[in-house]
Amino acid sequence: MKAAFMAEMKAENIKQFLYNFTQLPHLAGTKENLHLAQQVQAEWKEFGLDSVQLVHYDVLLSYPDDTKPNYISIIDEHGNEIFNTSLSEPPPPGYEAVRDVVPPYSAFSAQGMPEGELVYVNYGRTEDFFKLEREMGINCTGKIVIARYGKIFRGNKVKNAELAGAKGVILYSDPADYCAPGTDPYPNGWNLPGGGAQRGNVLNLNGAGDPLTPGYPAKEYTYRLDKASGVGLPKIPVHPIGYHDAESLLRNMGGYAPPHSSWKGNLNVSYNVGPGFTTNYSTRKVKMHIHSHNEITRIYNVIGTIRGTVEPDRYVILGGHRDSWVFGGIDPQSGAAVVHEIVRSFGKLRRKGWRPRRTVIFASWDAEEFGLLGSTEWAEENAKVLQARGVAYINADSSIEGNYTLRVDCTPLMYRLVYSLTKEIPSPDEGFEGKSLYESWYKKNPSREYKEVPRINKLGSGNDFEVFFQRLGIASGRARYSKNWNVEKYSSYPVYHSVYETYEIVERFYDPAFKNHLTVAQVRGGLVFELANSVVLPFDCRDYASAVSNYAHIIYNLSRNHEEELATYNVSFDALFSAVKNFTEVAASFHERLQQIDINNLIAVRSLNDQLMFLERAFIDPLGLPGRPFYRHVIFAPSSHNKYAGESFPGIYDAMFDIKNKADQHEAWEEVKRQISIAAFTVQAAAGTLKEVP
């Protein structure tokens, strides 16, 4: 059946679905996106799913004001606007007549018209602000900062600027980060044009979902926080611009020279840090005009199911978002088209009388771009059932962000499954004809941690698996085709979240034959199939043991930068290493027992499967991480400095971060000790769940 399922998926169908999904903008909360939800619902029903529902929530979204556009100006000493940034992106060829293209904006920005001197803060990372404040003595209080996009999640840039005292943030795309060498700006190539800008939310939700209903689903009956006091809302205005406009703002920057060549992008400007402009222009200031508003708006998830035969109360979930900033040519529709084809293929098997062993749930999430809202609200509403019955979640945002090789981020429980599955899928890459996906992936991206396997990354966040993995502890994974990160230094892909993310850019430049899309469909679909249909869950707890051991050594080695303090404050990692050793031994003997199982003994199989299913759950701490109650996984969390990146042993890592600059050293190291003990307890407790039931 698996062979039939894999063979059923066709590149031509994915191509057609992508075209259909990208002809209009599908911004969350708009009627176009409701219409698309209804279309997806109707087609999933037609494909043969057992049930397909629209599930709605009323969440806080953010839109520009139709009558008062957002822009930034340079003003002279009399307040006259000498220069204004553009109000929209020049439309790509063929799209000039499309209505309802939302202009570039930073969703959830505060309103305001601050004016002040400009300070250039490089990428706006924690280390960039350390450089400015500690080494260069530059105070950002009352300044407007300009940061280039890239390296980290934009919400972290805004939070860092706020903490530094800035009164406004300008985000811009530098050609160094959004133009790959050797290709042209769209439409002649796949680079970002100078008039293009990156939309995106600037929240710091830390997993809360809808800002007004943290922890609970945003239904009609739900109590809501005041609109002004929602979770994670920035307190200062923020706005994104393209590199043509950025050049005008940065051209006459004065003040300090850039501290290092790494602060220089590829614009023809000095990259002076400021504050303010050069002497000739010192009376000029920058003024922001931001009038966007937040409003409670209805959003719609599409939830489809195929009921399992043997274990209908065990759920394998495939989910990806449907809402886009504009056309969504890559993000999300290259992913949604793949999900559509996976659903069609499952439906075809189902109509021929086949059913999976476990229930499969398919989800088209809404409002991902506004803070993962659709997925998080649904998981909040269904948390009790999901934590009791959720086997795995496979994420399906953009299928491509490049065309070099596969990229996988997942729980260590899925490593072996991913490796064995990719050995069965043909490689789509040039020069690897007749070879497996595993071979091309391994050749192009070998692991740094483990010998002779391809690299698999830790899960961070910035996508819809967050609530399932980081909050609920459901084993999760994601896969897409990506670029060569060793060679191609630009961030994400150049036209990310701009109007130029069209069907044509995919069809002309990224994947003309849609062979990479098909490969991603086979990986995502194959994972769902195996997880839903294997008699014994295809999870290997020994790989979790190796990973946890590896992470324990990494965090211990980090602590050894502070040998003196470790001695002074009597800090020991012994308990953690002891727990890791126990976990490793218990995982090995559990795996042995798994080999001996009589697969005809349904209760024995179910019992062991439940131990495997609940292993991820065992790493959840109900109290959550310090200051981040919805990040509850003790082994993994989104980095406190970059939501997109995963951090291991985040409690210990954050407690040790920049510890030499903490005022009270005793208190700081006591917190490190507390975090080590929480980690040791959690690893030991997880080991306990794998022990043979006495």
Side-chain angles (χ1 to χ4, degrees):
M1 269 343 263
K2 184 174 163 198
F5 167 73
M6 298 293 266
E8 179 58 39
M9 293 186 284
K10 307 286 191 296
E12 190 50 50
N13 293 335
I14 299 170
K15 179 178 182 173
Q16 190 57 55
F17 295 149
L18 180 67
Y19 180 84
N20 291 341
F21 292 167
T22 51
Q23 295 313 291
L24 291 172
H26 296 107
L27 189 63
T30 62
K31 65 182 187 307
E32 288 81 9
N33 200 31
L34 169 57
H35 291 329
L36 184 57
Q38 291 164 332
Q39 178 195 325
V40 168
Q41 179 188 27
E43 291 178 10
W44 285 6
K45 280 181 176 166
E46 216 175 293
F47 290 156
L49 299 193
D50 292 331
S51 78
V52 191
Q53 307 296 332
L54 289 191
V55 185
H56 67 262
Y57 301 96
D58 296 315
V59 300
L60 194 69
L61 300 183
S62 162
Y63 302 106
D65 188 309
D66 292 330
T67 59
K68 288 187 290 193
N70 298 327
Y71 66 101
I72 298 158
S73 9
I74 299 175
I75 56 170
D76 66 16
E77 63 270 38
H78 309 298
N80 301 315
E81 298 178 2
I82 295 168
F83 164 80
N84 291 329
T85 59
S86 50
L87 303 181
S88 62
E89 296 170 294
Y95 293 84
E96 296 83 359
V98 179
R99 295 175 50 249
D100 295 323
V101 170
V102 78
Y105 73 115
S106 297
F108 301 103
S109 165
Q111 294 181 343
M113 295 172 60
E115 52 184 85
E117 291 185 308
L118 206 53
V119 175
Y120 169 65
V121 298
N122 199 19
Y123 292 103
R125 297 168 296 189
T126 304
E127 59 266 37
D128 296 326
F129 281 100
F130 282 172
K131 174 76 79 177
L132 289 169
E133 293 166 349
R134 295 177 180 179
E135 293 179 35
M136 301 174 74
I138 293 172
N139 186 351
C140 291
T141 303
K143 304 288 191 275
I144 293 174
V145 302
I146 182 165
R148 49 173 166 158
Y149 268 131
K151 307 292 186 196
I152 67 168
F153 172 58
R154 69 186 84 73
N156 293 97
K157 300 173 191 268
V158 171
K159 183 181 169 207
N160 293 342
E162 240 177 60
L163 290 171
K167 60 160 110 163
V169 182
I170 300 165
L171 300 169
Y172 83 96
S173 308
D174 195 289
D177 307 287
Y178 291 90
C179 294
T183 184
D184 283 329
Y186 191 75
N188 298 321
W190 43 273
N191 275 343
L192 183 69
Q198 179 191 134
R199 295 155 188 75
N201 81 71
V202 290
L203 295 167
N204 282 282
L205 288 173
N206 291 326
D210 169 42
L212 304 186
T213 62
Y216 304 99
K219 300 303 280 186
E220 291 83 346
Y221 63 83
T222 312
Y223 179 83
R224 285 176 172 74
L225 299 173
D226 186 63
K227 269 211 308 206
S229 51
V231 177
L233 299 169
K235 295 177 169 49
I236 56 177
V238 191
H239 191 62
I241 59 174
Y243 56 85
H244 283 165
D245 283 342
E247 191 148 44
S248 300
L249 292 181
L250 293 171
R251 185 171 293 127
N252 300 311
M253 286 290 284
Y256 291 84
H260 189 259
S261 61
S262 64
W263 280 54
K264 290 187 169 191
N266 287 352
L267 291 173
N268 187 21
V269 301
S270 65
Y271 288 94
N272 284 346
V273 166
F277 295 120
T278 50
T279 319
N280 321 8
Y281 303 98
S282 58
T283 57
R284 294 185 177 179
K285 289 204 165 80
V286 169
K287 182 172 182 180
M288 301 180 69
H289 310 72
I290 306 300
H291 310 289
S292 304
H293 58 279
N294 301 339
E295 53 180 291
I296 297 171
T297 310
R298 183 153 291 189
I299 62 166
Y300 300 88
N301 296 330
V302 188
I303 307 291
T305 54
I306 297 180
R307 185 179 162 86
T309 48
V310 183
E311 305 185 71
D313 62 339
R314 290 293 176 262
Y315 306 150
V316 174
I317 306 166
L318 174 67
H321 75 104
R322 180 187 70 256
D323 68 297
S324 56
W325 282 114
V326 192
F327 301 110
I330 294 172
D331 178 5
Q333 308 305 358
S334 69
V338 158
V339 171
H340 217 59
E341 180 64 356
I342 292 170
V343 172
R344 190 193 66 77
S345 302
F346 268 112
K348 185 152 185 181
L349 263 59
R350 152 79 189 79
R351 284 208 314 272
K352 290 180 174 169
W354 174 87
R355 280 187 178 281
R357 177 185 178 94
R358 301 177 187 88
T359 295
V360 181
I361 299 176
F362 302 99
S364 168
W365 306 123
D366 203 348
E368 185 270 352
E369 297 293 4
F370 288 84
L372 319 179
L373 303 188
S375 57
T376 305
E377 296 312 301
W378 185 81
E380 286 178 333
E381 184 167 33
N382 297 286
K384 304 299 178 199
V385 161
L386 290 170
Q387 58 203 15
R389 308 176 190 168
V391 170
Y393 175 85
I394 302 299
N395 198 59
D397 198 353
S398 315
S399 294
I400 54 160
E401 58 190 9
N403 53 17
Y404 180 65
T405 193
L406 190 67
R407 174 180 170 188
V408 175
D409 315 359
C410 70
T411 171
L413 282 175
M414 287 185 194
Y415 290 173
R416 302 263 164 131
L417 169 60
V418 170
Y419 292 145
S420 64
L421 177 64
T422 52
K423 286 172 181 170
E424 301 167 7
I425 294 172
S427 175
D429 298 357
E430 259 171 72
F432 288 88
E433 294 77 11
K435 295 208 159 66
S436 72
L437 175 59
Y438 181 91
E439 286 177 82
S440 60
W441 178 27
Y442 171 56
K443 184 93 168 62
K444 292 181 176 186
N445 197 8
S447 170
R448 294 181 205 169
E449 284 100 0
Y450 304 106
K451 280 192 188 21
E452 290 165 17
V453 290
R455 178 182 182 84
I456 293 180
N457 308 295
K458 297 192 284 281
L459 286 165
S461 179
N463 227 295
D464 287 309
F465 60 82
E466 182 188 74
V467 68
F468 299 97
F469 189 68
Q470 311 288 5
R471 192 195 296 199
L472 297 178
I474 295 170
S476 299
R478 61 191 306 204
R480 59 264 198 230
Y481 242 69
S482 192
K483 59 186 191 173
N484 183 347
W485 290 79
N486 306 320
V487 175
E488 304 174 70
K489 290 291 179 229
Y490 57 89
S491 294
S492 63
Y493 49 94
V495 298
Y496 173 67
H497 286 186
S498 76
V499 74
Y500 306 106
E501 233 192 86
T502 57
Y503 169 78
E504 287 76 20
I505 206 168
V506 175
E507 194 267 332
R508 287 180 51 201
F509 301 109
Y510 278 96
D511 194 17
F514 283 77
K515 64 185 196 316
N516 297 342
H517 280 76
L518 178 60
T519 300
V520 171
Q522 291 173 330
V523 173
R524 291 172 178 176
L527 287 172
V528 171
F529 193 101
E530 285 290 343
L531 289 161
N533 226 43
S534 306
V535 174
V536 174
L537 284 177
F539 287 159
D540 196 320
C541 56
R542 297 170 307 175
D543 289 335
Y544 224 131
S546 324
V548 167
S549 173
N550 181 22
Y551 302 145
H553 283 95
I554 289 168
I555 197 77
Y556 172 66
N557 289 338
L558 209 55
S559 79
R560 297 194 57 192
N561 296 328
H562 311 275
E563 292 285 13
E564 217 177 300
E565 290 78 6
L566 294 177
T568 306
Y569 299 107
N570 195 18
V571 181
S572 167
F573 283 80
D574 290 355
L576 179 57
F577 282 116
S578 169
V580 167
K581 183 170 178 286
N582 289 339
F583 186 89
T584 305
E585 289 164 4
V586 170
S589 63
F590 179 89
H591 188 78
E592 285 303 305
R593 284 206 304 290
L594 207 52
Q595 308 314 298
Q596 316 304 316
I597 186 144
D598 169 13
I599 60 164
N600 299 311
N601 181 343
L602 289 182
I603 290 183
V605 171
R606 171 82 163 193
S607 178
L608 285 168
N609 276 342
D610 278 356
Q611 284 176 286
L612 287 167
M613 173 176 78
F614 285 128
L615 180 58
E616 198 78 67
R617 228 83 90 235
F619 292 113
I620 293 294
D621 185 332
L623 300 183
L625 289 163
R628 302 194 290 171
F630 300 115
Y631 292 155
R632 307 196 306 167
H633 205 298
V634 171
I635 312 299
F636 300 105
S639 162
S640 293
H641 307 276
N642 173 17
K643 184 178 184 174
Y644 292 150
E647 193 53 75
S648 49
F649 286 119
I652 308 175
Y653 182 90
D654 283 350
M656 288 199 312
F657 183 82
D658 195 40
I659 194 165
K660 65 181 186 299
N661 285 292
K662 301 267 171 68
D664 187 333
Q665 285 290 293
H666 177 261
E667 183 187 44
W669 283 102
E670 286 297 306
E671 176 61 12
V672 173
K673 286 154 78 169
R674 186 172 83 92
Q675 291 301 328
I676 293 169
S677 89
I678 290 169
F681 161 74
T682 304
V683 172
Q684 183 66 19
T689 71
L690 291 178
K691 284 208 175 91
E692 189 158 16
V693 182

